[in-house]
Amino acid sequence: MKVGVLIIGSLRWEDGTDGIRKKWREERLIVGKEVKVQVPICYGRKSSSRGDTYTMVFSSQDSPLGTALLVPCKYEIESKESLVEEAEALWKAESPSPSRSKIGGNSSDPWGCVGIMFREKGNDFGWSAHFRAVGQSPVEPVVTADGILNFEIPWLKANGDSSYQPDVILAIANKPESPLPTPKTIATAWITNRKDEPGKDYENYFFRDVEHGIQTPDDDEIWKIIKSEKPKWLANNEYKKAIKILEGKN
């Protein structure tokens, strides 16, 4: 079975601790074949490692759609073991810290997990049984108790290449805040947190997402708020490409 990873946020562009995400992309993915797909996403998780600013999460099925990236995996799935191996590699890229189940956060802090979607209903290669057997807590309502992604996306061909018809899609689902933050709250967190201190460029997360084609339905409003406040870091040359996209000039 052909496999793809549905990516939102920094898994696409961040190197990660000791380069683990970069290595995962190089070893596991065919990045040049990625395609954009419409999915329900938003900035909804407060990240302590990013100064309590917000990162991207999948939202419920009936939420407005944004744009994520579907990236083909290099290797096909031939068994339950190879499916679990791919899922564990994805979770390790997301969270290098040891995890009891290796496909998600532990029971005391179920902040995220791997969810899976199958094109053909029926045979799930033992994934649901494995998800339950390791005691993995789901991230509801996005991931069910069986470890299945609880929303629909088109099953696309990559860049017109008819050989790419994924049978399985994997994704990381992280637990959102409740209630979800507003665009004003999201933008203000980036604006007020920075204070022009070294290592505080957490707004980089927003601009890198946009640069790589990953966008939420709230991006226009978030951008208007940031632009109106005119923070000094808007002059950062690294943000020029993303700003052109946000301004509709690219």
Side-chain angles (χ1 to χ4, degrees):
M1 296 195 299
K2 292 182 173 64
V3 187
V5 178
L6 188 62
I7 294 181
I8 57 176
S10 55
L11 274 176
R12 173 59 185 85
W13 47 263
E14 193 171 58
D15 287 349
T17 304
D18 295 328
I20 190 169
R21 291 185 174 182
K22 181 180 180 181
K23 183 179 180 182
W24 167 73
R25 290 192 298 269
E26 291 173 345
E27 293 183 350
R28 294 278 179 175
L29 304 183
I30 309 174
V31 174
K33 291 288 188 179
E34 62 195 50
V35 292
K36 295 180 180 180
V37 294
Q38 298 298 298
V39 292
I41 54 176
C42 63
Y43 285 100
R45 178 173 179 261
K46 183 180 286 188
S47 173
S48 59
S49 64
R50 297 182 189 273
D52 286 340
T53 59
Y54 293 90
T55 57
M56 204 175 284
V57 297
F58 293 104
S59 46
S60 59
Q61 174 67 48
D62 57 351
S63 299
L65 301 180
T67 304
L69 300 178
L70 180 57
V71 189
C73 292
K74 289 184 176 180
Y75 308 107
E76 294 191 16
I77 297 301
E78 300 176 351
S79 63
K80 170 190 170 183
E81 288 71 25
S82 56
L83 175 58
V84 170
E85 179 183 339
E86 200 70 63
E88 290 181 351
L90 171 57
W91 181 253
K92 188 174 182 179
E94 170 70 12
S95 179
S97 300
S99 175
R100 177 172 57 86
S101 75
K102 299 183 181 180
I103 55 171
N106 58 44
S107 56
S108 63
D109 185 20
W111 60 271
C113 70
V114 177
I116 289 184
M117 184 183 299
F118 294 88
R119 181 158 59 94
E120 299 293 338
K121 308 301 182 183
N123 180 16
D124 72 352
F125 270 57
W127 170 256
S128 295
H130 176 77
F131 193 89
R132 294 191 299 268
V134 298
Q136 182 57 55
S137 298
V139 177
E140 297 178 324
V142 176
V143 177
T144 71
D146 288 331
I148 304 299
L149 291 167
N150 194 26
F151 54 84
E152 298 293 333
I153 66 169
W155 293 86
L156 300 176
K157 298 176 183 178
N159 298 332
D161 181 357
S162 61
S163 68
Y164 178 61
Q165 282 281 7
D167 300 293
V168 185
I169 291 176
L170 296 86
I172 294 292
N174 288 327
K175 187 177 181 179
E177 302 297 310
S178 181
L180 288 171
T182 65
K184 178 68 173 178
T185 300
I186 296 162
T188 300
W190 283 316
I191 293 167
T192 60
N193 191 284
R194 173 64 179 267
K195 300 178 182 177
D196 293 317
E197 298 175 17
K200 300 291 185 180
D201 55 341
Y202 302 121
E203 77 284 346
N204 177 62
Y205 185 96
F206 175 65
F207 291 104
R208 294 299 299 277
D209 282 344
V210 171
E211 179 183 342
H212 286 86
I214 306 170
Q215 292 191 261
T216 78
D218 292 325
D219 279 14
D220 286 346
E221 189 170 352
I222 292 170
W223 170 237
K224 288 177 182 177
I225 295 167
I226 291 174
K227 187 167 63 170
S228 69
E229 294 294 327
K230 300 178 181 178
K232 292 181 180 179
W233 43 256
L234 271 186
N236 190 331
N237 286 332
E238 294 180 3
Y239 300 158
K240 285 184 176 180
K241 182 176 180 180
I243 290 172
K244 285 184 178 180
I245 295 171
L246 290 163
E247 293 285 281
K249 298 177 181 178
N250 190 22

